[in-house]
Amino acid sequence: MSEGVSIFAVGDPAGAQLNAAIRRTLFVLGEERSEVWNGVLQAANALRWRRMTQPQPRQFQTQQPLIDDIVRQAKRLRNLVSDGALLDLIAEAAVAVGETDSPAGAVLLQSIEEVGTDGCVVVASKAAARAGLASWLDEIGATVLVPSELDTVASTAETSYVVAPPSFMPSSVVTAPMTPEVTFVMPAWFGNRSLPSSAFGGHAEGQIVIKSTVHTIGDTTEPETAVAEGKEVADVYFPQPVWGTRSSGEREPTSDEVEACKVLLAGGLGLWLDDGDRIRSLDPKQPEGARVGYEAVKGIVPGTYLVLRQGETERGAMYDRAVIALGARARGILATQARWKARLDERLQLIGSRRAMTELERLGVRSSGQVRAWADPRLICPQRDADFALLLDWIGEPSHPTYGNAITLRRAVYKASADLRKELESAVGRADLRALERDGILHLDLPREGFRGMIVARVLAKAPFTEIVSRHHVRVPFTDGSAQWLD
């Protein structure tokens, strides 16, 4: 409160050139621009974001493929659009960024050296930014954290150097600081220098107001192509996916289809995620041996790490192994499974899934929203036993032996899944988790036949709506270009 917050606004001519090129393009094209611009603008925006949040020297950068993609797309589009000069601005600015170090990096390094590595911490915007900064600052012994880890800061640290504009960081970095001093290091070309405020601040008596002092450093001259102040530009600095609109309409899925949400993953991958109960995940922060677990499907958010099998769902593989383990009992169990699922499918075809959800909810089935998913042959039964009993009664299926058979099959799947988890934990223990944080994707080497194609991938974004897709496409990773340059 006594010192306030310092903001180092560092001149960055190359970054300013890229920022001006993007904003000029957005201003000239307006909100009604053609979709052909989305690819190059997404890539350019991602490069600008990295310039802002990862100012390490070029030898520690991994941005060249991104720059090459921008130049390639600009060349390809030049004959398709009438505003070729805008493409030239973006491509030239991208190349300039690749040829120069960010001056903000030099300012950050000098600041760290002045107070000593024991007297400060560096706060990165995201895990990917932390990995990039750490690849550089590890050499001098500096500590790099993300905001959620600030409670681990040593008591000797006096200053937090936050490498991002204040508006992109959680308010707690300022309103509940873990060091006596907080300094933001950001490019001068980003004009918004306002501090984030507590969500409760506006409702509190005697609201605490934290002042900021801006220190302008270096060449802050704006390029001639910069959009004049006061002009409206629909600019979003954080890399954003382009979702479009739902194409499935209002129809209900057929027996071979399912409602699924599109999830974008690191490594240029996508995934159709259904409304099942859970999916295998990994938490790198947990101790060795406790990193692999499950995450509720509803709890999947950007930053979650999913453990997936390439080319096929893990669910199918676990089901097949469970059936083999059941031996002679499998035939009778599969017969009752097929029978009750056929009855469920008949009821869904007759009344539709929406009415089915309503009726089951009225009966007390807590997970009634997953009724369509239960018709999947590989999804054993509802997670809650009471829900399964109510479901069987609703479709007119005798409880014996169907109920007991499903529980037996589910236990066998759990056993197969537990065995796989042990192998995954072992593979994760051998893997480089720093590379996972940096790249967002990790290929696991499992000795088990059929499971050598396991990956861990970070969730980058989740669509705000569902689509109707083939049941066979659910939970199977696929290449998706729109995920390529998301942070």
Side-chain angles (χ1 to χ4, degrees):
M1 281 297 297
S2 60
E3 301 298 329
V5 170
S6 295
I7 298 177
F8 291 173
V10 185
D12 173 20
Q17 181 183 350
L18 177 62
N19 180 57
I22 294 173
R23 291 179 62 79
R24 165 64 61 179
T25 301
L26 294 173
F27 175 72
V28 172
L29 299 179
E31 295 185 4
E32 302 301 321
R33 68 174 183 270
S34 169
E35 291 185 0
V36 299
W37 284 89
N38 288 345
V40 69
L41 285 173
Q42 272 188 302
N45 195 33
L47 180 63
R48 179 176 59 171
W49 176 254
R50 294 187 190 184
R51 185 74 170 188
M52 191 187 304
T53 59
Q54 298 189 49
Q56 60 266 26
R58 280 168 290 172
Q59 63 266 37
F60 298 98
Q61 293 282 359
T62 58
Q63 62 189 9
Q64 194 57 46
L66 178 52
I67 295 170
D68 294 341
D69 185 64
I70 293 170
V71 174
R72 183 169 54 251
Q73 288 196 66
K75 289 180 178 178
R76 181 176 59 84
L77 290 176
R78 192 165 284 108
N79 295 327
L80 300 177
V81 300
S82 58
D83 301 287
L86 297 175
L87 290 169
D88 292 337
L89 285 176
I90 292 175
E92 290 168 5
V95 171
V97 164
E99 294 175 344
T100 59
D101 289 342
S102 169
V107 171
L108 174 63
L109 182 60
Q110 180 182 356
S111 300
I112 294 171
E113 291 173 342
E114 286 177 356
V115 301
T117 55
D118 292 336
C120 67
V121 293
V122 177
V123 185
S125 60
K126 299 278 184 180
R130 174 176 60 181
L133 289 168
S135 67
W136 167 44
L137 296 176
D138 276 355
E139 291 187 347
I140 63 171
T143 300
V144 185
L145 305 171
V146 293
S148 62
E149 297 171 333
L150 281 173
D151 57 350
T152 65
V153 172
S155 58
T156 56
E158 291 289 321
T159 303
S160 298
Y161 291 114
V162 186
V163 189
S167 57
F168 286 115
M169 301 302 287
S171 61
S172 59
V173 172
V174 172
T175 60
M178 301 306 294
T179 57
E181 297 179 11
V182 177
T183 297
F184 288 87
V185 181
M186 58 177 285
W189 48 259
F190 186 82
N192 182 1
R193 295 162 191 171
S194 60
L195 299 179
S197 59
S198 168
F200 298 104
H203 305 282
E205 293 184 13
Q207 179 184 359
I208 295 174
V209 178
I210 301 173
K211 65 180 181 179
S212 63
T213 303
V214 178
H215 304 273
T216 304
I217 303 169
D219 182 4
T220 60
T221 305
E222 283 290 317
E224 293 182 2
T225 54
V227 177
E229 287 188 23
K231 298 289 186 179
E232 290 293 329
V233 180
D235 194 359
V236 179
Y237 283 80
F238 186 75
Q240 300 284 326
V242 178
W243 297 113
T245 57
R246 177 180 163 95
S247 61
S248 301
E250 295 300 317
R251 72 178 182 88
E252 291 198 357
T254 66
S255 59
D256 294 326
E257 295 177 326
V258 66
E259 291 270 3
C261 181
K262 189 178 183 182
V263 173
L264 297 181
L265 307 170
L269 299 176
L271 186 78
W272 289 109
L273 188 59
D274 61 350
D275 58 355
D277 289 315
R278 60 182 190 166
I279 186 170
R280 201 182 291 274
S281 62
L282 180 138
D283 186 351
K285 297 179 182 178
Q286 295 300 315
E288 186 172 348
R291 293 174 177 140
V292 179
Y294 283 97
E295 183 69 46
V297 167
K298 292 182 179 179
I300 300 300
V301 295
T304 304
Y305 287 95
L306 300 182
V307 183
L308 304 164
R309 187 181 180 201
Q310 291 181 299
E312 188 178 343
T313 64
E314 180 198 315
R315 179 191 292 168
M318 294 299 97
Y319 185 96
D320 292 341
R321 286 190 173 273
V323 169
I324 293 172
L326 288 170
R329 293 181 295 167
R331 186 172 183 177
I333 291 174
L334 295 181
T336 56
Q337 283 290 104
R339 187 171 66 230
W340 79 258
K341 287 179 178 290
R343 288 193 175 186
L344 173 59
D345 191 59
E346 289 174 4
R347 178 66 71 89
L348 291 174
Q349 295 294 330
L350 180 64
I351 67 173
S353 58
R354 293 187 181 91
R355 180 178 165 187
M357 292 177 198
T358 301
E359 292 186 8
L360 288 170
E361 185 178 11
R362 191 181 300 122
L363 291 172
V365 177
R366 294 182 185 175
S367 51
S368 59
Q370 298 175 22
V371 62
R372 172 63 64 182
W374 294 332
D376 186 336
R378 300 295 180 93
L379 202 158
I380 313 301
C381 62
Q383 193 75 17
R384 184 169 174 264
D385 292 349
D387 283 355
F388 187 36
L390 290 169
L391 176 67
L392 292 178
D393 184 63
W394 181 69
I395 62 176
E397 173 70 17
S399 178
H400 182 76
T402 303
Y403 179 90
N405 281 349
I407 301 303
T408 298
L409 178 57
R410 187 172 67 187
R411 288 172 180 162
V413 169
Y414 284 170
K415 174 63 168 60
S417 182
D419 292 342
L420 176 61
R421 178 187 172 279
K422 293 178 182 177
E423 294 184 28
L424 288 169
E425 285 284 5
S426 179
V428 170
R430 298 189 299 269
D432 181 3
L433 295 183
R434 178 67 67 86
L436 173 63
E437 185 174 67
R438 181 190 67 235
D439 304 329
I441 188 167
L442 183 69
H443 294 264
L444 297 178
D445 181 21
L446 268 66
R448 184 188 297 209
E449 186 66 32
F451 282 86
R452 291 177 182 145
M454 298 291 289
I455 62 171
V456 181
R458 183 168 60 233
V459 173
L460 302 179
K462 188 176 180 182
F465 53 83
T466 61
E467 290 283 3
I468 296 175
V469 298
S470 169
R471 195 180 296 275
H472 303 293
H473 294 161
V474 170
R475 301 197 181 198
V476 179
F478 58 89
T479 301
D480 192 306
S482 60
Q484 189 173 16
W485 304 123
L486 295 180
D487 190 356

